[in-house]
């Protein structure tokens, strides 16, 4: 079988590979250390950071995104700065001010809710603590509620910009949307779906949350954004500064940007591959990122974890080459 012409040989990727382990300030998505593979390519730096539980088929899209960044010339952005929301993990209310302090000037906050082991009362307390500091609040349930639970939660949480992925399936989102007035945003129902446009066809969402890496790159994201027919929010997948730069580029290329984007999660890391850039008046700049060699060395993953990522790159590359 002839290899795909747009996919470099796997050995070329591995020759450019850096695997880093970034310590986090708080547990997010169940992790306290974020491992990522970075590639130093002829067009720039690419990031492959599919979460470890993803198999080769799903993770291969993340590798495709890294290849796009490292080997293809970027599109030209229409704006040079992007409004970003603060991101609040499922922390106790007394920790909320500490988290929000890392997002200076943010006028919108996304709050994690429906965390396993926590209750709706925990979610309400966290949201109220955020609302005391930031006026505009959206919440993300990662599909953790049933329709009935989401109806109750929407009433208990008060006025929200939107509920992000309150239920797991598109059908549930469509049913919920007919029962509540709070806008609904779809995330997993777009980036994990065989048909990302089904949420619109079924009237299941008011907002589309899109992420560069799971969709295969900036190019595919912009195609979906142009066709989906509802407002788009570009968000991160717990990216390093390298991956975040691609999200900011994608947001910068959109013709309209009605919502703050979820691209400020760099504040969740204790250390990153470059010196942290804090938002200014709630905005982050659009531009390429080149990792600091000293940080790449200091943050390098242990040898066994590097080998794990090498094996994973090979497995995902095989999927892309089929």
């Amino acid at each position: 079988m002839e290899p795909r012409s747009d996919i470099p040989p796997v050995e070329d990727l591995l020759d450019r590979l850096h695997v880093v382990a970034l310590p986090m300030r708080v547990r997010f998505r169940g992790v306290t250390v974020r491992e990522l593979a970075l590639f130093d390519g002829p067009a720039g730096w690419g990031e492959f950071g599919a979460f470890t539980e993803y198999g080769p088929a799903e993770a291969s899209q993340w590798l495709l995104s890294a290849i796009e960044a490292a080997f293809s010339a970027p599109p030209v952005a229409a704006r040079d700065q992007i409004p970003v929301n603060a991101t609040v993990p499922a922390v106790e209310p007394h920790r909320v001010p500490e988290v929000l302090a890392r997002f200076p000037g943010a006028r919108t906050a996304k709050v994690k809710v429906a965390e396993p082991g926590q209750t709706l009362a925990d979610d309400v307390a966290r949201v109220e603590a955020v609302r005391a500091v930031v006026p505009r609040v959206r919440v993300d349930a990662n599909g953790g509620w049933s329709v009935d639970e989401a109806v109750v939660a929407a009433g208990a949480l008060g006025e929200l910009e939107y509920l992000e992925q309150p239920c797991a399936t598109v059908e549930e989102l469509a049913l919920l949307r007919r029962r509540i007035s709070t806008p609904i945003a779809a995330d997993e129902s777009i980036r994990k779906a065989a048909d990302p446009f089904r949420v619109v066809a079924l009237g299941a969402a008011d907002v589309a949350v899109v992420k560069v890496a799971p969709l295969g790159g900036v190019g595919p994201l912009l195609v979906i954004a142009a066709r989906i027919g509802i407002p788009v929010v570009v968000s991160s997948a717990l990216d390093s500064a390298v991956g975040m730069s691609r999200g900011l580029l994608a947001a910068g290329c959109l013709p309209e940007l009605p919502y703050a984007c979820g691209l400020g999660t760099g504040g969740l890391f204790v250390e990153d591959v470059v010196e942290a850039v804090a938002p200014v008046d709630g905005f982050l700049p659009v531009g390429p990122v080149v990792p600091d060699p000293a940080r790449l060395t200091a943050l390098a993953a242990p040898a066994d974890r590097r080998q794990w990522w090498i094996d994973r790159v090979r497995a995902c590359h095989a999927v892309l080459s089929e």
Side-chain angles (χ1 to χ4, degrees):
M1 180 181 296
E2 290 293 324
R4 280 176 51 168
S5 60
D6 60 333
I7 304 297
V10 68
E11 296 302 332
D12 191 7
L13 288 178
L14 296 177
D15 285 345
R16 303 170 181 275
L17 177 68
H18 302 262
V19 180
V20 295
L22 308 182
M24 301 188 63
R25 298 181 189 278
V26 294
R27 180 179 296 273
F28 193 83
R29 242 190 141 272
V31 301
T32 54
V33 176
R34 177 71 163 123
E35 289 185 352
L36 301 157
L38 304 175
F39 304 101
D40 180 7
W45 283 79
E47 176 174 310
F48 173 44
F51 296 113
T52 54
E53 66 269 24
Y54 292 177
E58 184 171 0
S60 65
Q61 291 302 300
W62 299 59
L63 181 59
L64 193 62
S65 177
I67 291 170
E68 177 201 62
F71 290 86
S72 300
V76 177
R79 56 181 67 81
D80 60 6
Q81 59 177 1
I82 305 299
V84 297
N85 63 253
T87 299
V88 180
V91 297
E92 296 178 355
H94 74 269
R95 296 195 63 188
V96 164
E98 163 203 338
V99 173
L100 291 177
R102 293 193 284 272
F103 302 90
R107 300 171 180 85
T108 303
K110 182 173 85 168
V111 184
K112 180 69 179 71
V113 294
E115 181 82 355
Q118 296 189 3
T119 67
L120 179 57
D122 296 324
D123 295 337
V124 170
R126 186 180 312 112
V127 166
E128 287 302 321
V130 172
R131 198 174 271 132
V133 182
V134 177
R136 189 179 299 113
V137 177
R138 57 182 72 155
V139 301
D140 182 7
N142 291 117
W145 290 322
S146 68
V147 173
D148 288 341
E149 288 171 336
V151 170
V152 173
L157 292 168
E159 184 177 351
L160 298 169
E161 186 177 41
Y162 57 69
L163 283 170
E164 181 174 330
Q165 200 68 43
C167 306
T169 70
V170 177
E171 291 79 7
E172 287 174 316
L173 294 184
L175 178 59
L176 176 64
R177 190 164 175 256
R178 293 194 291 270
R179 293 181 58 183
I180 65 174
S181 59
T182 304
I184 292 174
D187 176 7
E188 287 89 344
S189 290
I190 294 173
R191 64 181 168 90
K192 287 178 171 282
D195 178 6
F197 303 105
R198 191 161 175 263
V199 291
V200 176
L202 294 185
D206 304 278
V207 178
V209 178
V210 289
K211 299 177 180 178
V212 169
L215 294 175
V218 173
L221 181 151
L222 294 176
V223 169
I224 289 173
R227 292 180 52 197
I228 203 161
I230 55 177
V232 165
V233 173
V234 181
S235 191
S236 78
L238 203 55
D239 306 323
S240 78
V242 170
M244 200 69 67
S245 71
R246 299 297 288 182
L248 291 164
L249 173 63
C253 291
L254 292 172
E256 297 179 1
L257 202 61
Y259 293 97
C261 289
L263 297 169
T265 53
L268 299 176
F269 296 118
V270 176
E271 295 287 348
D272 204 338
V273 294
V274 296
E275 186 174 351
V277 176
V280 176
D281 295 328
F283 286 80
L284 283 173
V286 176
V289 166
V290 176
D292 178 345
R295 288 174 179 263
L296 289 176
T297 300
L299 295 167
D304 62 325
R305 295 306 301 165
R306 176 179 169 83
Q307 186 60 51
W308 187 90
W309 281 93
I310 289 173
D311 295 341
R312 193 179 202 202
V313 169
R314 289 189 183 278
C316 292
H317 188 277
V319 172
L320 295 177
S321 299
E322 290 176 355

